[in-house]
Coordinates of all heavy atoms in Angstrom, one line a residue:
M21 N 103.2 219.9 42.5 CA 102.2 221.0 42.7 C 101.4 221.1 41.4 O 101.9 221.0 40.3 CB 103.0 222.3 42.9 CG 102.1 223.5 43.0 SD 102.9 224.8 44.0 CE 101.6 225.9 44.0
T22 N 100.1 221.4 41.5 CA 99.2 221.5 40.4 C 99.3 222.9 39.8 O 99.3 223.9 40.4 CB 97.7 221.4 40.9 OG1 97.7 220.1 41.6 CG2 96.8 221.4 39.8
R23 N 99.4 222.9 38.4 CA 99.4 224.1 37.7 C 98.1 224.9 37.9 O 97.0 224.3 37.8 CB 99.6 223.8 36.2 CG 99.6 225.0 35.3 CD 99.8 224.7 33.9 NE 98.7 223.8 33.3 CZ 97.5 224.3 32.9 NH1 97.2 225.6 32.9 NH2 96.6 223.4 32.4
P24 N 98.1 226.2 38.2 CA 96.9 226.9 38.4 C 96.0 226.9 37.2 O 96.5 226.9 36.0 CB 97.4 228.4 38.7 CG 98.8 228.3 39.0 CD 99.4 227.0 38.3
L25 N 94.7 227.0 37.4 CA 93.7 227.1 36.3 C 93.7 228.5 35.9 O 93.6 229.4 36.7 CB 92.4 226.6 36.8 CG 92.3 225.1 37.1 CD1 91.0 224.8 37.9 CD2 92.3 224.3 35.8
A26 N 93.7 228.8 34.6 CA 93.6 230.1 34.1 C 92.2 230.6 34.0 O 91.3 230.1 33.4 CB 94.2 230.2 32.6
I27 N 92.0 231.7 34.7 CA 90.7 232.4 34.8 C 90.9 233.8 34.2 O 91.8 234.5 34.5 CB 90.2 232.6 36.2 CG1 90.2 231.3 37.0 CG2 88.9 233.3 36.3 CD1 89.2 230.2 36.5
T28 N 90.0 234.1 33.2 CA 90.0 235.5 32.7 C 88.6 236.1 33.1 O 87.6 235.5 33.0 CB 90.0 235.4 31.1 OG1 91.2 234.8 30.7 CG2 90.1 236.9 30.6
L29 N 88.7 237.3 33.7 CA 87.6 238.0 34.1 C 87.4 239.3 33.4 O 88.3 240.2 33.5 CB 87.8 238.3 35.6 CG 86.7 239.1 36.3 CD1 85.3 238.4 36.3 CD2 87.0 239.4 37.8
L30 N 86.4 239.4 32.6 CA 86.1 240.7 31.9 C 85.3 241.6 32.8 O 84.3 241.2 33.4 CB 85.2 240.4 30.7 CG 85.9 239.8 29.4 CD1 84.8 239.5 28.4 CD2 86.9 240.8 28.8
T31 N 85.8 242.8 33.0 CA 85.2 243.7 34.0 C 84.9 245.0 33.3 O 85.4 245.3 32.2 CB 86.1 243.9 35.2 OG1 87.3 244.5 34.8 CG2 86.3 242.6 35.9
Q32 N 84.2 245.9 34.0 CA 84.0 247.3 33.6 C 83.9 248.1 34.9 O 83.8 247.6 36.0 CB 82.7 247.5 32.8 CG 81.4 247.1 33.4 CD 80.3 247.2 32.5 OE1 80.4 247.0 31.3 NE2 79.1 247.5 33.0
H33 N 84.1 249.4 34.7 CA 84.1 250.3 35.9 C 82.7 250.4 36.5 O 81.7 250.3 35.8 CB 84.6 251.7 35.5 CG 86.0 251.7 35.0 ND1 87.1 251.5 35.9 CD2 86.5 251.9 33.8 CE1 88.2 251.5 35.2 NE2 87.9 251.7 33.9
V34 N 82.6 250.6 37.8 CA 81.4 250.8 38.5 C 80.4 249.6 38.2 O 79.4 249.8 37.5 CB 80.7 252.1 38.3 CG1 79.6 252.3 39.2 CG2 81.7 253.3 38.4
C35 N 80.8 248.4 38.6 CA 80.1 247.2 38.2 C 79.9 246.3 39.5 O 80.9 245.7 39.9 CB 80.8 246.5 37.1 SG 80.1 244.8 36.8
A36 N 78.7 246.3 40.1 CA 78.5 245.6 41.3 C 78.7 244.1 41.0 O 79.2 243.4 41.9 CB 77.1 245.8 41.8
F37 N 78.2 243.6 39.9 CA 78.4 242.2 39.6 C 79.9 241.8 39.4 O 80.3 240.7 39.7 CB 77.6 241.8 38.3 CG 76.1 241.6 38.6 CD1 75.3 241.7 37.5 CD2 75.6 241.4 39.8 CE1 73.9 241.6 37.6 CE2 74.2 241.3 40.0 CZ 73.4 241.4 38.9
C38 N 80.7 242.8 38.9 CA 82.2 242.6 38.8 C 82.8 242.4 40.2 O 83.6 241.5 40.4 CB 82.8 243.7 38.0 SG 82.2 243.8 36.3
D39 N 82.4 243.3 41.1 CA 82.8 243.2 42.5 C 82.4 241.9 43.1 O 83.2 241.2 43.8 CB 82.3 244.4 43.3 CG 82.9 245.7 42.8 OD1 83.9 245.7 42.2 OD2 82.2 246.7 43.1
H40 N 81.2 241.5 42.8 CA 80.7 240.2 43.3 C 81.6 239.0 42.8 O 82.0 238.1 43.6 CB 79.3 240.0 42.9 CG 78.7 238.7 43.2 ND1 78.2 238.3 44.5 CD2 78.4 237.6 42.4 CE1 77.8 237.1 44.5 NE2 77.9 236.6 43.2
A41 N 81.9 239.0 41.5 CA 82.7 238.0 40.9 C 84.1 238.0 41.4 O 84.7 236.9 41.7 CB 82.7 238.2 39.4
K42 N 84.7 239.1 41.7 CA 86.0 239.2 42.3 C 86.0 238.6 43.7 O 87.0 237.9 44.0 CB 86.5 240.7 42.3 CG 86.8 241.2 41.0 CD 87.2 242.7 41.1 CE 87.3 243.4 39.8 NZ 87.6 244.8 39.9
G43 N 85.0 238.9 44.4 CA 84.9 238.3 45.8 C 84.8 236.8 45.7 O 85.4 236.1 46.5
I44 N 84.0 236.2 44.8 CA 83.9 234.8 44.7 C 85.2 234.2 44.2 O 85.7 233.2 44.8 CB 82.8 234.4 43.6 CG1 81.4 234.7 44.2 CG2 82.9 233.0 43.2 CD1 80.3 234.5 43.3
L45 N 85.9 234.8 43.3 CA 87.2 234.3 42.8 C 88.2 234.3 44.0 O 89.0 233.4 44.1 CB 87.7 235.1 41.6 CG 86.9 234.8 40.3 CD1 87.2 235.8 39.2 CD2 87.1 233.4 39.8
D46 N 88.2 235.4 44.8 CA 89.1 235.5 45.9 C 88.8 234.3 46.9 O 89.8 233.6 47.4 CB 89.0 236.8 46.7 CG 89.6 237.9 45.9 OD1 90.4 237.7 45.0 OD2 89.3 239.1 46.3
R47 N 87.6 234.1 47.2 CA 87.2 233.0 48.1 C 87.5 231.6 47.6 O 88.1 230.8 48.3 CB 85.7 233.2 48.4 CG 85.2 232.3 49.5 CD 83.7 232.7 50.0 NE 82.8 232.9 48.9 CZ 82.3 234.1 48.6 NH1 82.7 235.2 49.2 NH2 81.4 234.3 47.7
V48 N 87.1 231.4 46.3 CA 87.4 230.1 45.7 C 88.9 229.9 45.5 O 89.3 228.7 45.6 CB 86.6 230.0 44.4 CG1 87.0 228.7 43.6 CG2 85.1 230.0 44.7
G49 N 89.6 230.9 45.3 CA 91.0 230.8 45.1 C 91.8 230.4 46.3 O 93.0 229.9 46.2
T50 N 91.2 230.3 47.5 CA 91.9 229.8 48.7 C 91.8 228.3 48.6 O 92.5 227.6 49.4 CB 91.2 230.3 50.0 OG1 89.9 229.9 50.1 CG2 91.3 231.8 50.0
E51 N 90.9 227.7 47.8 CA 90.7 226.2 47.8 C 91.2 225.6 46.4 O 91.4 224.4 46.4 CB 89.2 225.9 48.0 CG 88.7 226.4 49.3 CD 87.2 226.2 49.4 OE1 86.7 225.2 48.9 OE2 86.5 227.1 49.9
F52 N 91.2 226.4 45.4 CA 91.6 225.9 44.1 C 92.8 226.7 43.6 O 92.9 228.0 43.8 CB 90.5 226.1 43.1 CG 89.3 225.2 43.3 CD1 88.3 225.6 44.1 CD2 89.2 224.0 42.7 CE1 87.1 224.8 44.3 CE2 88.1 223.2 42.9 CZ 87.1 223.6 43.7
P53 N 93.7 226.1 42.9 CA 94.8 226.9 42.3 C 94.4 227.7 41.1 O 94.0 227.1 40.1 CB 95.8 225.8 41.9 CG 94.9 224.6 41.6 CD 93.8 224.7 42.5
L54 N 94.3 229.0 41.2 CA 93.8 229.9 40.2 C 94.9 230.9 39.8 O 95.6 231.4 40.7 CB 92.5 230.6 40.6 CG 91.3 229.8 41.1 CD1 90.2 230.7 41.4 CD2 90.9 228.8 40.0
R55 N 94.8 231.3 38.5 CA 95.6 232.4 38.1 C 94.6 233.3 37.3 O 94.2 233.0 36.2 CB 96.7 232.0 37.1 CG 97.6 233.2 36.6 CD 98.7 232.8 35.7 NE 98.3 231.6 34.9 CZ 97.9 231.6 33.6 NH1 97.8 232.6 33.0 NH2 97.5 230.6 33.0
V56 N 94.2 234.4 38.0 CA 93.1 235.3 37.5 C 93.7 236.4 36.7 O 94.6 237.1 37.3 CB 92.2 235.8 38.6 CG1 91.2 236.7 38.1 CG2 91.6 234.6 39.4
T57 N 93.3 236.6 35.5 CA 93.7 237.8 34.7 C 92.4 238.6 34.4 O 91.4 238.1 34.0 CB 94.3 237.3 33.3 OG1 95.4 236.5 33.6 CG2 94.7 238.5 32.5
E58 N 92.5 239.9 34.8 CA 91.4 240.8 34.7 C 91.6 241.6 33.4 O 92.7 242.1 33.1 CB 91.3 241.7 35.9 CG 90.0 242.5 35.9 CD 89.9 243.3 37.2 OE1 90.4 242.9 38.3 OE2 89.2 244.4 37.2
V59 N 90.6 241.7 32.6 CA 90.6 242.4 31.3 C 89.4 243.4 31.3 O 88.3 243.0 31.5 CB 90.5 241.5 30.1 CG1 90.5 242.3 28.8 CG2 91.6 240.4 30.1
D60 N 89.7 244.7 31.1 CA 88.7 245.7 31.1 C 87.9 245.6 29.8 O 88.5 245.7 28.7 CB 89.3 247.1 31.3 CG 88.3 248.2 31.5 OD1 87.3 248.2 30.9 OD2 88.6 249.0 32.4
L61 N 86.6 245.6 29.9 CA 85.7 245.5 28.7 C 85.9 246.7 27.8 O 85.6 246.6 26.6 CB 84.3 245.3 29.2 CG 83.3 244.8 28.2 CD1 83.7 243.6 27.5 CD2 82.0 244.6 28.9
S62 N 86.3 247.8 28.3 CA 86.4 249.0 27.5 C 87.6 249.1 26.7 O 87.8 250.0 25.8 CB 86.3 250.3 28.4 OG 87.5 250.4 29.2
T63 N 88.6 248.1 26.9 CA 89.8 248.1 26.1 C 89.5 247.3 24.8 O 88.6 246.6 24.6 CB 90.9 247.4 26.8 OG1 90.6 246.0 27.0 CG2 91.2 248.1 28.1
E64 N 90.5 247.5 23.8 CA 90.4 246.7 22.6 C 90.4 245.3 22.8 O 89.6 244.5 22.2 CB 91.6 247.1 21.6 CG 91.2 247.8 20.4 CD 92.4 248.1 19.5 OE1 92.9 247.2 18.9 OE2 92.8 249.3 19.5
D65 N 91.3 244.8 23.7 CA 91.3 243.4 24.0 C 90.1 242.9 24.6 O 89.5 241.8 24.3 CB 92.5 243.0 25.0 CG 93.8 243.0 24.3 OD1 93.9 242.9 23.1 OD2 94.9 243.1 25.0
G66 N 89.5 243.7 25.5 CA 88.3 243.3 26.2 C 87.1 243.2 25.2 O 86.3 242.3 25.3
Q67 N 87.0 244.2 24.3 CA 86.0 244.1 23.3 C 86.1 242.9 22.4 O 85.1 242.3 22.0 CB 86.0 245.4 22.4 CG 85.5 246.6 23.2 CD 84.0 246.5 23.4 OE1 83.2 246.3 22.5 NE2 83.6 246.6 24.7
R68 N 87.3 242.6 22.0 CA 87.6 241.5 21.1 C 87.2 240.2 21.8 O 86.5 239.3 21.2 CB 89.1 241.4 20.7 CG 89.4 240.2 19.8 CD 90.9 240.2 19.5 NE 91.8 240.3 20.7 CZ 92.0 239.4 21.6 NH1 91.4 238.2 21.5 NH2 92.8 239.6 22.6
V69 N 87.6 240.0 23.0 CA 87.3 238.8 23.8 C 85.7 238.6 23.9 O 85.2 237.6 23.7 CB 88.0 238.8 25.1 CG1 87.5 237.6 26.0 CG2 89.5 238.6 24.9
A70 N 85.1 239.7 24.3 CA 83.6 239.7 24.5 C 82.9 239.4 23.2 O 82.0 238.6 23.2 CB 83.2 241.1 25.0
I71 N 83.3 240.0 22.1 CA 82.6 239.7 20.8 C 82.8 238.3 20.4 O 81.8 237.6 20.0 CB 83.1 240.7 19.7 CG1 82.6 242.1 20.1 CG2 82.7 240.2 18.4 CD1 83.2 243.2 19.2
Q72 N 84.0 237.8 20.5 CA 84.3 236.4 20.1 C 83.5 235.4 20.9 O 83.1 234.3 20.4 CB 85.8 236.1 20.2 CG 86.6 236.7 19.1 CD 88.1 236.5 19.3 OE1 88.6 236.0 20.4 NE2 88.9 236.8 18.3
A73 N 83.3 235.7 22.2 CA 82.6 234.7 23.1 C 81.1 235.0 23.2 O 80.4 234.2 23.8 CB 83.2 234.8 24.5
G74 N 80.7 236.1 22.6 CA 79.2 236.4 22.7 C 78.8 236.9 24.1 O 77.7 236.7 24.5
M75 N 79.7 237.5 24.8 CA 79.4 238.0 26.1 C 78.6 239.3 25.9 O 79.1 240.2 25.3 CB 80.7 238.3 26.9 CG 81.5 237.1 27.2 SD 80.9 236.3 28.7 CE 82.0 234.9 28.8
L76 N 77.5 239.3 26.6 CA 76.6 240.5 26.4 C 77.0 241.7 27.3 O 76.8 242.8 27.0 CB 75.2 240.1 26.5 CG 74.7 239.1 25.6 CD1 73.2 238.7 25.9 CD2 74.9 239.5 24.1
F77 N 77.4 241.3 28.5 CA 77.9 242.4 29.5 C 78.7 241.8 30.5 O 78.9 240.6 30.6 CB 76.6 243.1 30.1 CG 75.6 242.1 30.7 CD1 75.7 241.6 31.9 CD2 74.5 241.7 29.9 CE1 74.8 240.7 32.5 CE2 73.5 240.8 30.4 CZ 73.7 240.3 31.7
A78 N 79.4 242.6 31.3 CA 80.3 242.2 32.3 C 79.6 241.8 33.6 O 78.4 242.2 33.8 CB 81.3 243.4 32.7
P79 N 80.2 241.0 34.4 CA 81.5 240.4 34.2 C 81.4 239.1 33.4 O 80.4 238.4 33.4 CB 81.9 240.0 35.6 CG 80.6 239.8 36.4 CD 79.6 240.7 35.8
G80 N 82.4 238.9 32.6 CA 82.5 237.7 31.8 C 83.6 236.8 32.5 O 84.6 237.3 32.8
V81 N 83.3 235.6 32.6 CA 84.2 234.7 33.3 C 84.6 233.5 32.3 O 83.7 232.9 31.8 CB 83.7 234.1 34.6 CG1 84.7 233.1 35.3 CG2 83.3 235.2 35.6
F82 N 85.9 233.3 32.1 CA 86.4 232.2 31.3 C 87.3 231.3 32.2 O 88.0 231.8 33.0 CB 87.3 232.8 30.2 CG 86.6 233.6 29.2 CD1 86.3 235.0 29.5 CD2 86.2 233.2 28.0 CE1 85.6 235.8 28.6 CE2 85.5 233.9 27.0 CZ 85.2 235.3 27.3
V83 N 87.1 230.0 32.0 CA 88.0 229.1 32.7 C 88.8 228.3 31.6 O 88.2 227.7 30.7 CB 87.2 228.1 33.5 CG1 88.0 227.0 34.2 CG2 86.3 228.8 34.6
E84 N 90.1 228.4 31.7 CA 91.0 227.8 30.7 C 90.6 228.2 29.3 O 90.6 227.4 28.4 CB 91.0 226.3 30.9 CG 91.5 225.8 32.2 CD 93.0 225.9 32.3 OE1 93.7 225.4 31.4 OE2 93.5 226.6 33.2
G85 N 90.2 229.5 29.1 CA 89.9 230.0 27.8 C 88.5 229.7 27.3 O 88.1 230.2 26.2
R86 N 87.7 229.0 28.1 CA 86.3 228.7 27.7 C 85.3 229.6 28.5 O 85.5 229.7 29.7 CB 86.0 227.2 27.9 CG 86.8 226.3 27.1 CD 86.4 224.9 27.3 NE 87.4 224.0 26.7 CZ 87.8 222.9 27.3 NH1 87.4 222.5 28.4 NH2 88.7 222.1 26.6
P87 N 84.4 230.1 27.8 CA 83.4 230.9 28.5 C 82.6 230.1 29.5 O 82.2 229.0 29.2 CB 82.4 231.4 27.4 CG 83.2 231.2 26.1 CD 84.1 230.1 26.3
L88 N 82.5 230.7 30.7 CA 81.7 230.0 31.8 C 80.4 230.8 32.0 O 79.3 230.2 32.0 CB 82.5 230.0 33.1 CG 81.7 229.5 34.3 CD1 81.4 228.0 34.2 CD2 82.4 229.8 35.6
S89 N 80.4 232.1 32.1 CA 79.3 232.9 32.4 C 79.5 234.3 32.2 O 80.6 234.8 32.1 CB 78.8 232.7 33.8 OG 79.7 233.3 34.7
Y90 N 78.4 235.1 32.1 CA 78.4 236.5 32.2 C 77.3 237.0 33.0 O 76.4 236.3 33.3 CB 78.4 237.2 30.7 CG 77.2 236.9 29.9 CD1 76.1 237.8 30.0 CD2 77.1 235.8 29.1 CE1 74.9 237.5 29.3 CE2 76.0 235.6 28.3 CZ 74.9 236.4 28.4 OH 73.8 236.2 27.7
G91 N 77.5 238.2 33.6 CA 76.5 238.7 34.6 C 76.8 238.1 35.9 O 78.0 237.9 36.2
R92 N 75.8 238.0 36.8 CA 76.1 237.5 38.1 C 76.7 236.1 38.1 O 76.1 235.2 37.6 CB 74.8 237.5 38.9 CG 75.0 237.2 40.4 CD 73.7 237.4 41.2 NE 73.8 237.1 42.5 CZ 74.2 237.9 43.5 NH1 74.5 239.1 43.2 NH2 74.3 237.5 44.7
L93 N 77.8 236.0 38.7 CA 78.6 234.7 38.7 C 78.0 233.8 39.8 O 77.8 234.2 41.0 CB 80.1 234.9 39.0 CG 80.9 233.7 39.1 CD1 80.9 232.8 37.9 CD2 82.4 234.1 39.5
S94 N 77.7 232.5 39.5 CA 77.3 231.5 40.4 C 78.5 230.8 41.0 O 79.3 230.2 40.2 CB 76.4 230.5 39.7 OG 76.3 229.3 40.5
E95 N 78.7 230.9 42.3 CA 79.8 230.2 43.0 C 79.7 228.7 42.8 O 80.7 228.1 42.6 CB 79.9 230.6 44.4 CG 81.1 230.1 45.1 CD 81.4 230.6 46.5 OE1 80.8 231.7 46.8 OE2 82.1 230.0 47.3
R96 N 78.5 228.2 42.9 CA 78.4 226.7 42.8 C 78.8 226.3 41.4 O 79.5 225.3 41.2 CB 76.9 226.3 43.1 CG 76.8 224.8 43.0 CD 75.4 224.3 43.5 NE 74.4 225.3 43.6 CZ 73.1 225.0 43.7 NH1 72.7 223.8 43.7 NH2 72.2 226.0 43.9
K97 N 78.3 227.0 40.3 CA 78.7 226.6 38.9 C 80.2 226.7 38.8 O 80.8 225.9 38.1 CB 78.0 227.6 38.0 CG 78.3 227.3 36.5 CD 77.4 228.2 35.6 CE 77.7 227.9 34.2 NZ 77.0 228.8 33.3
L98 N 80.8 227.8 39.3 CA 82.3 227.9 39.2 C 83.0 226.8 39.9 O 83.9 226.2 39.3 CB 82.7 229.3 39.8 CG 84.2 229.5 39.8 CD1 84.8 229.6 38.4 CD2 84.5 230.8 40.6
R99 N 82.6 226.4 41.1 CA 83.2 225.3 41.8 C 83.1 224.0 41.0 O 84.1 223.2 40.9 CB 82.6 225.2 43.2 CG 83.1 226.2 44.1 CD 82.4 226.1 45.5 NE 82.8 227.2 46.4 CZ 83.9 227.1 47.1 NH1 84.8 226.1 47.0 NH2 84.3 228.1 47.9
R100 N 81.9 223.7 40.5 CA 81.7 222.5 39.7 C 82.6 222.5 38.5 O 83.2 221.4 38.2 CB 80.3 222.4 39.3 CG 79.3 221.9 40.4 CD 78.0 221.4 39.8 NE 77.4 222.4 38.9 CZ 76.4 223.2 39.1 NH1 75.7 223.1 40.3 NH2 75.9 224.0 38.3
T101 N 82.7 223.6 37.8 CA 83.6 223.7 36.6 C 85.1 223.5 37.0 O 85.8 222.8 36.3 CB 83.4 225.0 35.9 OG1 82.0 225.2 35.6 CG2 84.2 225.2 34.7
L102 N 85.5 224.1 38.1 CA 86.9 224.0 38.5 C 87.2 222.5 38.9 O 88.3 222.0 38.5 CB 87.2 224.9 39.6 CG 87.1 226.4 39.3 CD1 87.3 227.2 40.5 CD2 88.0 226.8 38.2
E103 N 86.3 221.9 39.6 CA 86.5 220.5 40.0 C 86.6 219.6 38.8 O 87.4 218.7 38.7 CB 85.4 220.0 40.9 CG 85.4 220.6 42.3 CD 84.2 220.4 43.1 OE1 83.2 219.8 42.6 OE2 84.2 220.9 44.3
K104 N 85.8 219.8 37.8 CA 85.8 219.1 36.6 C 87.1 219.2 35.8 O 87.7 218.3 35.4 CB 84.6 219.5 35.6 CG 84.5 218.8 34.3 CD 83.4 219.2 33.5 CE 83.4 218.5 32.1 NZ 82.5 219.1 31.2
H105 N 87.6 220.4 35.7 CA 88.8 220.7 35.0 C 90.0 220.0 35.8 O 90.9 219.4 35.1 CB 89.1 222.2 35.0 CG 88.5 222.9 33.8 ND1 89.1 222.9 32.5 CD2 87.3 223.5 33.7 CE1 88.3 223.5 31.7 NE2 87.2 224.0 32.3
L106 N 90.0 220.0 37.1 CA 91.1 219.4 37.8 C 91.0 217.9 37.7 O 92.0 217.2 37.6 CB 91.0 219.8 39.3 CG 91.4 221.3 39.5 CD1 91.3 221.7 41.0 CD2 92.9 221.5 39.1
R107 N 89.8 217.3 37.7 CA 89.6 215.8 37.5 C 90.1 215.4 36.1 O 90.7 214.4 36.0 CB 88.2 215.4 37.7 CG 87.7 215.2 39.1 CD 86.4 214.5 39.1 NE 85.4 215.0 38.2 CZ 84.5 215.9 38.5 NH1 84.5 216.5 39.6 NH2 83.6 216.3 37.6
E108 N 89.8 216.2 35.1 CA 90.1 215.8 33.7 C 91.6 216.1 33.4 O 92.1 215.6 32.4 CB 89.2 216.6 32.8 CG 87.8 216.1 32.9 CD 86.8 216.9 32.0 OE1 87.3 217.9 31.4 OE2 85.6 216.5 31.8
R109 N 92.2 217.0 34.1 CA 93.6 217.4 33.8 C 94.6 216.3 33.5 O 95.3 216.2 32.5 CB 94.1 218.4 34.8 CG 95.4 218.9 34.4 CD 95.9 220.0 35.4 NE 95.3 221.2 34.9 CZ 95.4 222.3 35.6 NH1 96.0 222.4 36.7 NH2 94.9 223.4 35.1
P110 N 94.6 215.2 34.4 CA 95.6 214.2 34.2 C 95.4 213.4 32.9 O 96.4 213.0 32.3 CB 95.4 213.2 35.4 CG 94.8 214.1 36.5 CD 94.0 215.1 35.7
A111 N 94.2 213.3 32.5 CA 93.9 212.6 31.2 C 94.4 213.4 30.0 O 94.7 212.8 29.0 CB 92.4 212.4 31.0
R112 N 94.6 214.7 30.1 CA 95.1 215.5 29.0 C 96.6 215.5 29.0 O 97.2 215.9 28.0 CB 94.7 217.0 29.2 CG 93.2 217.1 29.1 CD 92.9 218.6 29.3 NE 91.4 218.7 29.2 CZ 90.8 219.8 29.6 NH1 91.5 220.9 30.0 NH2 89.5 219.9 29.6
S113 N 97.3 215.1 30.0 CA 98.8 215.2 30.1 C 99.4 214.1 29.3 O 98.9 213.0 29.0 CB 99.3 215.1 31.5 OG 98.8 216.1 32.2

């Protein structure tokens, strides 16, 4: 069995783009092994992560600890990134 890819989702309250990103992650999660961790941007941890990554606003999406996007999430970009991570994974082992 393939180890799930770690996804971190920076969110904030009353955020339509955050809801959009959650929907994409739910949908894509039926095809890819994902472990999604949601971090509220208003928390200390959320602020630290956002500042370190240069995320200007929510939602922020990280794949395996690397920033992917902020704002409106592109499902196609996410799928390409996940496919790339899964292809490259055996070379890292």
Side-chain angles (χ1 to χ4, degrees):
M21 179 156 183
T22 303
R23 177 181 61 83
L25 292 165
I27 306 294
T28 303
L29 178 62
L30 282 175
T31 62
Q32 64 186 26
H33 297 290
V34 190
C35 170
F37 285 157
C38 297
D39 294 338
H40 173 78
K42 289 176 191 179
I44 288 175
L45 289 168
D46 286 344
R47 189 168 45 254
V48 170
T50 64
E51 300 171 41
F52 291 89
L54 303 180
R55 181 180 32 101
V56 179
T57 302
E58 191 173 331
V59 179
D60 190 320
L61 193 54
S62 68
T63 66
E64 244 182 78
D65 283 342
Q67 287 291 305
R68 180 184 47 76
V69 170
I71 290 168
Q72 287 176 347
M75 295 277 175
L76 301 178
F77 50 87
V81 179
F82 296 79
V83 177
E84 294 288 303
R86 295 184 190 138
L88 174 69
S89 71
Y90 61 88
R92 186 174 177 89
L93 177 61
S94 163
E95 185 169 339
R96 184 173 12 167
K97 181 178 179 180
L98 175 63
R99 286 177 181 277
R100 282 194 312 250
T101 301
L102 296 176
E103 288 168 359
K104 179 181 176 192
H105 275 276
L106 290 175
R107 275 194 316 268
E108 293 176 352
R109 184 174 275 173
R112 294 181 184 167
S113 299

